[in-house]
Structures are given as C-alpha cells and as structure tokens.
C-alpha cells in the first residue's frame, strides 16, 4: 500500500512480500510500472490495463515474452518480476478524480487474478481512497487547529473573538489574565460587559470606525476588569470567518504602564523647565542679596558696636546669608551650581539656626534645642541641611495651628 506524501508515494504498509518489497519504509525504485499507474500513464486498449487505470496480469512470464514484453521489461523488472510474482495487480486509490495512492498485490502462482476480481479491487480502491483522503484532511485540520491554538495562546496581547451580535466565543489566556476572568466566565459575557457603561457609545463608535476602515487603531479604549477597575487599552479589531461564520476579532494591549511613563516624561520635562526658571530667578536674586549684604556691612560699620540696631543689622546679615544658601540650592537644582559638601558640626549648625527658627514659627509654639552629646560631624552641604531643618520646623508649626 502506497500513499501520497508530499511529491512522492512512499510505501505505507507491506504484508507478505519478499525483499525488497517487504520494507514498508523504503521508497520504491523508480522508474517502475507503479509510477505509470500512479500518474495515469496507461493505455486501456492494451489487455493488461483496465478502463479504471489499473495494471494486471495472471502470468508474468507469458506477458514479458509477448509482443509488449520488451517495452514492459525495463519498467517491470525492478519490483514485481524481480520478486518472481506471476499474478500481479496495481490498483490506483482515487478520491475525487485524484490519485492519492496505490494498492499492489502479488502472488508467485500464476492464474490467481481475473478482470472481474481486478475491477472489484478498483471499487475497493475508490472506497479506500476516499477514506484515506478524509483521514488525511482530518489530520491536516487537526494539525492546523493545534497550530492555531498554539499561536492563539502564545500571543502576549489579549485576544477576543465575538459574534456580530457581541457574544464572546473565544478568549486567549492573556486576555483572561488581563481582565481577571476565567475562560468560562469570559465566554458568558458580551462585548458591552467589558467597558464602563458611560463610555460604551464612544467605544462602540470607535470599533465601528475601525471595522469600516476609517481608523487603523482604537487608542486608549477604557476596559473594565472583573473587580471593576478600569485601564486604557489600544484595540485592533478586524472581521474574520471561521467555519462559514462571520466573527469579530479584537487584540487588546494594556497601555497603562505606557501612559504612566509618558506622564512621568512630561513631568520630567516640566521640572526641567522649572529648574531653568529657578536658575534664572536664583541668579538675579543672588545679585540682589549681594547688594543687601554689602549695604549691611556698611551700615554695621557706621553704628555703635552695642545696641538693638546693631543686633537687627546682624539678623539681616544672617537672614541674607541663609537666603544666599537657598539661592545656591536653586542653582544646584537647575544644575548651574555644584553642591559644596563639607564637614559640618550639627550642634553648631542648629545653634546658628535657633533664632531664625524662633522667629519663623512664632511665639505660640515652644522651641526647645537640646544639643547632642559626642555627636559626630557629617559631610554634607550646609545649605541643604539648614533647608531640611527649616522645612521640618515649618511643617511642625503647620501641624499645630493652635500652638
């Protein structure tokens, strides 16, 4: 028994034949008479061919010594005559006017075949051809379905298939994980169940535009999970036909992370602009502080060493120096000023800030300063440390509106 496989007809099964025909896996020698029968190259007017396209003989020796013997010998010798079979039939297996295989019978005894028997074998061959053709088609369909299922489930994007009425009929694992449903739960839903009710008209309009070819991709479609949360998805919809049924296929891609990154990028760009603005303001403000500090220095020299006015001038100088530190921080934020870390005594830094913090928080809040014992020094930018302490003090004051 030989069946079509690709462009050839290798042996599918072999029973009772001697070598070389008994090896069911071997490719038959070519050319041989089998090839002529498989290709339909037969002449029904010759007695050893039938109207159904078969070859047969009940006496090989007599056939090969007859008028056509010399022509048949080269084609017949490799297989049947080489195996010393006297009664031989080569019957094509046909399905829908296409030859899909060959049924080969051989008997070392002469006189074992008749035309009626060969024609009966041809009817069997047609039945076998149809059966094998159906089997091959079913196997090809099963293989195709397995390949489709493998691709369907391996895609990272979520995929839904729905009827034209909106009933979901197929869902891959990715969309189930994305929405939080099991496959069985999802296939009980309709398309409208996957989107917030208030957004449904716009969603359906976007899908209609996409199916009509007016839109390539429906972006930022709100999709609702099983737990009620909503996320944006880019959806690509198209029409497909499966087993004669018109269906709609939608590919869903969760773009939540993408939108978050885009927002972060916009915020970073905004902060960069703020930084440039802050740098410009800090530069101008620093020039003003230089004038203030210079004026305080002249004023201090013209005043008595003791007195309330002298103390006020010193406070102005101290506050101006703090303002200089702030402008340096703004310049550092805008990358115009490098940080200047140095070894700092925290007790001394807090002692210098005490008076400024007292005036900053007001009289209705008690301020207690307890210097640390054996406190190690730190290496940091003094201006940054002062800003941290002042921010903490202001936040604490705001948390105690009644003092």
């Amino acid at each position: 028994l030989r069946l079509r496989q690709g462009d050839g007809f290798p042996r599918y099964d072999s029973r009772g034949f001697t070598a070389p025909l008994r090896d069911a896996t071997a490719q038959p020698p070519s050319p041989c008479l089998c090839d002529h029968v498989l290709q339909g190259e037969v002449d029904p007017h010759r007695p050893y061919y039938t109207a159904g396209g078969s070859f047969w003989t009940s006496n090989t020796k007599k056939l090969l010594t007859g008028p056509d013997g010399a022509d048949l010998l080269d084609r017949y010798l490799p297989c049947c005559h080489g195996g010393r079979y006297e009664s031989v039939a080569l019957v094509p297996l046909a399905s829908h006017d296409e030859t899909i295989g060959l049924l080969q019978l051989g008997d070392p005894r002469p006189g074992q075949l008749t035309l009626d028997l060969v024609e009966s074998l041809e009817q069997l061959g047609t039945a076998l051809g149809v059966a094998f053709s159906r089997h091959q088609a079913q196997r090809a369909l099963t293989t195709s379905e397995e390949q489709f299922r493998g691709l369907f489930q391996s895609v990272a994007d979520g995929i839904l298939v729905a009827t034209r009425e909106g009933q979901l009929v197929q869902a891959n694992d990715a969309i189930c994980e994305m929405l939080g449903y099991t496959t069985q739960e999802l296939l009980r839903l309709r398309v409208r169940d996957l989107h917030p009710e208030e957004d449904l008209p716009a969603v359906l309009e976007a899908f209609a535009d996409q199916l009509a070819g007016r839109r390539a991709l429906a972006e930022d479609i709100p999709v609702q999970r099983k737990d009620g949360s909503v996320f944006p998805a880019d959806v690509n919809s198209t029409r497909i036909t499966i087993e004669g049924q018109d269906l709609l296929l939608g590919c869903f891609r969760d773009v939540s992370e993408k939108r978050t990154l885009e927002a972060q990028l916009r915020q970073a760009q905004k902060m960069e602009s703020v930084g440039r603005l802050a740098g410009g303001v800090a530069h101008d403000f620093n020039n003003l502080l230089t004038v203030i500090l210079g004026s305080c220095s002249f004023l201090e020299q013209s005043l008595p060493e003791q007195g309330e006015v002298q103390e006020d001038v010193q406070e102005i100088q101290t506050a101006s120096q703090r303002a200089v530190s702030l402008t340096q921080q703004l310049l550092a934020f805008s990358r115009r000023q490098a940080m200047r870390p140095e070894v700092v005594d925290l007790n001394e830094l807090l002692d210098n800030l005490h008076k400024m913090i007292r005036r900053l928080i007001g009289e209705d809040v008690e301020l207690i300063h307890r210097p640390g014992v054996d406190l190690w020094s730190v290496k940091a930018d003094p201006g940054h440390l002062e800003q941290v302490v002042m921010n903490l003090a202001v936040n604490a004051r705001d948390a105690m509106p009644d003092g």
Side-chain angles (χ1 to χ4, degrees):
L1 182 65
R2 295 173 59 181
L3 292 176
R4 181 190 296 277
Q5 182 176 325
D7 296 331
F9 291 86
R11 292 192 181 99
Y12 179 79
D13 197 7
S14 180
R15 308 282 180 89
F17 283 96
T18 58
L21 295 178
R22 67 188 177 195
D23 186 358
T25 63
Q27 179 70 31
S30 182
C32 70
L33 196 57
C34 299
D35 292 329
H36 290 269
V37 175
L38 285 167
Q39 296 168 10
E41 298 174 352
V42 299
D43 184 357
H45 296 96
R46 297 185 181 276
Y48 44 84
Y49 289 122
T50 69
S54 301
F55 167 86
W56 75 284
T57 179
S58 286
N59 195 321
T60 297
K61 292 180 181 178
K62 182 177 178 180
L63 178 64
L64 294 179
T65 57
D68 297 324
D71 180 50
L72 288 171
L73 190 60
D74 290 338
R75 293 179 283 162
Y76 196 71
L77 182 62
C79 293
C80 300
H81 183 58
R84 303 189 183 283
Y85 295 102
E86 290 299 321
S87 298
V88 175
L90 305 176
V91 181
L93 305 181
S95 175
H96 304 293
D97 298 327
E98 179 185 8
T99 301
I100 67 164
L102 182 77
L103 180 63
Q104 179 177 351
L105 298 98
D107 195 312
R109 298 169 299 174
Q112 299 302 305
L113 294 173
T114 64
L115 180 59
D116 289 341
L117 178 58
V118 173
E119 289 177 345
S120 297
L121 290 173
E122 288 179 339
Q123 294 178 3
L124 174 62
T126 300
L128 287 174
V130 172
F132 278 119
S133 180
R134 288 177 178 173
H135 173 71
Q136 290 176 337
Q138 182 61 41
R139 186 168 60 181
L141 178 61
T142 300
T143 301
S144 177
E145 288 178 346
E146 289 175 352
Q147 291 174 344
F148 170 78
R149 178 60 57 182
L151 291 172
F152 186 73
Q153 294 296 356
S154 64
V155 175
D157 291 342
I159 300 179
L160 287 174
V161 180
T163 63
R164 296 184 66 85
E165 292 75 28
Q167 179 63 48
L168 302 179
V169 294
Q170 289 191 42
N172 70 346
D173 293 341
I175 194 66
C176 293
E177 182 177 356
M178 194 180 296
L179 299 178
Y181 291 98
T182 65
T183 302
Q184 292 73 18
E185 291 174 334
L186 204 51
L187 298 188
R188 288 196 290 267
L189 302 178
R190 301 171 64 85
V191 172
R192 63 176 58 248
D193 298 324
L194 304 180
H195 305 280
E197 187 175 354
E198 63 272 15
D199 296 313
L200 193 57
V203 169
L204 296 179
E205 182 180 357
F207 289 162
D209 288 345
Q210 200 171 47
L211 294 173
R214 295 188 294 269
R215 179 188 298 195
L217 182 68
E219 296 181 310
D220 291 328
I221 297 297
V223 182
Q224 186 168 296
R225 298 186 180 93
K226 181 180 179 180
D227 61 8
S229 61
V230 178
F231 66 94
D234 288 349
V235 184
N236 192 352
S237 302
T238 186
R239 287 191 175 92
I240 61 172
T241 301
I242 298 180
E243 297 179 354
Q245 185 180 12
D246 290 334
L247 299 170
L248 304 177
L249 182 144
C251 295
F252 292 71
R253 176 169 296 180
D254 186 347
V255 294
S256 303
E257 184 176 356
K258 178 182 177 182
R259 297 296 176 258
T260 300
L261 292 175
E262 289 175 349
Q264 291 175 352
L265 176 60
R266 288 192 296 270
Q267 181 64 19
Q269 293 171 338
K270 185 187 301 182
M271 292 302 294
E272 184 178 358
S273 299
V274 170
R276 288 196 295 267
L277 176 63
V281 171
H283 182 75
D284 294 339
F285 189 57
N286 199 49
N287 293 335
L288 296 175
L289 289 173
T290 302
V291 176
I292 294 173
L293 286 170
S295 299
C296 285
S297 179
F298 289 129
L299 183 60
E300 185 180 22
Q301 294 175 7
S302 64
L303 292 174
E305 293 183 2
Q306 301 296 329
E308 293 184 2
V309 177
Q310 183 69 252
E311 291 181 2
D312 291 338
V313 171
Q314 291 176 354
E315 287 295 330
I316 293 173
Q317 286 181 318
T318 303
S320 297
Q321 291 293 344
R322 299 288 182 270
V324 169
S325 298
L326 290 176
T327 59
Q328 289 176 350
Q329 292 179 46
L330 288 173
L331 289 170
F333 175 73
S334 65
R335 297 182 178 85
R336 295 189 181 187
Q337 172 75 35
M339 293 187 185
R340 297 176 179 176
E342 59 185 67
V343 177
V344 178
D345 184 330
L346 294 178
N347 284 332
E348 182 180 350
L349 182 139
L350 292 175
D351 188 57
N352 293 335
L353 282 176
H354 189 271
K355 289 183 179 181
M356 180 177 290
I357 294 175
R358 161 54 59 200
R359 295 186 178 184
L360 186 66
I361 62 177
E363 297 296 334
D364 57 342
V365 176
E366 183 181 3
L367 178 62
I368 302 174
H369 174 216
R370 294 194 183 99
V373 180
D374 298 328
L375 190 64
W376 288 14
S377 299
V378 296
K379 188 172 184 179
D381 189 310
H384 287 188
L385 289 177
E386 290 174 356
Q387 188 62 43
V388 168
V389 174
M390 292 180 68
N391 288 342
L392 289 173
V394 171
N395 290 340
R397 179 199 64 187
D398 293 342
M400 300 181 290
D402 299 328

